[in-house]
Amino acid sequence: MSKNLFKLRQSLLLLLAAAIWGFAFVAQSVGMNYVQPYTFTAVRFLLGAAALLPVILIQNAHAAGRRRRGETPFKDAPARSGKELWKGGILCGTALVAATSVQQFGLVKTTVGKAGFITTMYIIIVPILGIFLGKKVKPLIAVCVVIAAAGLYMLCMTEGFSLQAGDALCLACAFLFSVQIMLVDHYANRVDGIRLAAIQFITASAIAAVLMLLFETPDWGSIVDAGIPILYTGIMSSGVAYTLQIVGQRGLNPTVASLIMSMESVMSALAGYLILHQTFTGRELAGCILMGLAIVLAQL
């Protein structure tokens, strides 16, 4: 496969992930009507891990067949086991559960569309974090930060110059997702992506389950009532989309990858409008436009 076709394929995988995530904002928002945040997070990532088990079993059967035929593994196949795989999965899972838990709390106090746009601030945060990892950042990024900050102000700040609680939580979520993106960028080229995703989900589910038992009162009936939102976020948003992220980020610059994934903001606004009938005020829409401009300029 040529380099251009490879990058196109990876980009399309990330774009599909972004579309799934955008509509997941609605599922997360609706799910919160039935269950508490840690309960929702624990169950969704448990489902995500379960959804990957058949894929891993197929991988194992394929590898066993190659060994029986005396064939060697693919030369460029990433490691499927070992300390680095588990380390990467646990680190990615910890960052993921932190980001999604904060996002769940934020969705209780803000709209789906606003949450989607604020969360995609990771497109600005990722290159800034890259500075600390020795990655060069052009001066244009500073301009983008200012534009994004102005857009964020118009989108979130009230006339009393206060940041709404839900918006503040979504902004914190954007930082945590930036950390998760950088971790995935580090490990995606070193270990098997499917297994990395599975360990990531198991870790996230285990941490959320502990927090659920400590701070919430899970009820099976409520979980059943939230069945459709949980199934969508568990199987599609977690099992499918986060795996597409890990596979799609392999070989792509993390800043470019984050730009593509930021399309979830557009999808979340569309989903909020179509399904929940949520709209933006003129001031909030202007803020979204400024943030979108900053996202595009950050890639020039």
Side-chain angles (χ1 to χ4, degrees):
M1 182 183 296
S2 69
K3 186 176 181 179
N4 288 337
L5 283 178
F6 173 79
K7 288 187 175 182
L8 176 61
R9 186 193 70 178
Q10 301 301 88
S11 298
L12 289 175
L13 291 176
L14 293 180
L15 186 61
L16 178 58
I20 295 172
W21 284 332
F23 280 80
F25 277 95
V26 170
Q28 289 175 249
S29 180
V30 173
M32 292 297 291
N33 294 328
Y34 303 96
V35 295
Q36 295 170 291
Y38 294 130
T39 301
F40 189 95
T41 301
V43 177
R44 71 174 285 193
F45 286 127
L46 182 61
L47 284 174
L52 293 182
L53 285 179
V55 181
I56 293 174
L57 291 175
I58 292 172
Q59 279 188 334
N60 289 339
H62 180 66
R66 291 183 63 85
R67 286 194 296 270
R68 284 195 300 269
R69 294 191 298 270
E71 299 175 5
T72 57
F74 296 108
K75 292 182 179 180
D76 59 347
R80 291 188 172 184
S81 61
K83 186 182 297 184
E84 190 167 24
L85 173 62
W86 282 95
K87 179 182 177 182
I90 291 171
L91 288 175
C92 290
T94 302
L96 180 61
V97 72
T100 52
S101 296
V102 171
Q103 186 182 67
Q104 282 297 128
F105 282 104
L107 278 167
V108 176
K109 301 178 182 295
T110 191
T111 66
V112 166
K114 288 177 70 175
F117 272 94
I118 298 169
T119 298
T120 51
M121 279 293 289
Y122 57 65
I123 187 63
I124 302 297
I125 300 172
V126 164
I128 293 175
L129 290 179
I131 295 175
F132 299 97
L133 299 176
K135 298 180 182 293
K136 294 183 178 180
V137 177
K138 295 181 179 180
L140 181 61
I141 292 298
V143 177
C144 293
V145 170
V146 173
I147 295 174
L152 187 65
Y153 173 84
M154 297 184 70
L155 179 63
C156 305
M157 300 295 279
T158 64
E159 292 181 359
F161 296 98
S162 61
L163 183 65
Q164 298 297 307
D167 299 337
L169 287 171
C170 289
L171 187 58
C173 159
F175 175 80
L176 292 169
F177 270 125
S178 299
V179 174
Q180 191 261 354
I181 289 171
M182 297 302 289
L183 286 169
V184 168
D185 175 66
H186 178 76
Y187 287 102
N189 294 310
R190 292 171 168 79
V191 299
D192 180 75
I194 302 299
R195 284 166 172 75
L196 178 66
I199 296 172
Q200 173 182 241
F201 297 149
I202 292 170
T203 301
S205 180
I207 294 174
V210 171
L211 295 172
M212 172 188 72
L213 295 174
L214 287 175
F215 301 109
E216 298 176 354
T217 53
D219 174 60
W220 179 250
S222 298
I223 293 174
V224 172
D225 290 338
I228 293 177
I230 288 177
L231 284 172
Y232 180 85
T233 55
I235 296 175
M236 295 300 296
S237 180
S238 299
V240 176
Y242 279 110
T243 303
L244 288 174
Q245 177 203 0
I246 289 175
V247 175
Q249 271 194 242
R250 184 176 297 146
L252 285 184
N253 182 291
T255 304
V256 175
S258 60
L259 168 66
I260 299 170
M261 290 185 288
S262 72
M263 285 298 295
E264 69 175 294
S265 63
V266 178
M267 297 298 179
S268 69
L270 179 62
Y273 174 76
L274 293 176
I275 301 173
L276 301 179
H277 309 294
Q278 296 176 344
T279 58
F280 291 107
T281 65
R283 174 190 173 97
E284 290 171 343
L285 184 59
C288 291
I289 292 173
L290 282 177
M291 291 178 67
L293 176 62
I295 288 170
V296 173
L297 287 177
Q299 307 310 310
L300 295 181

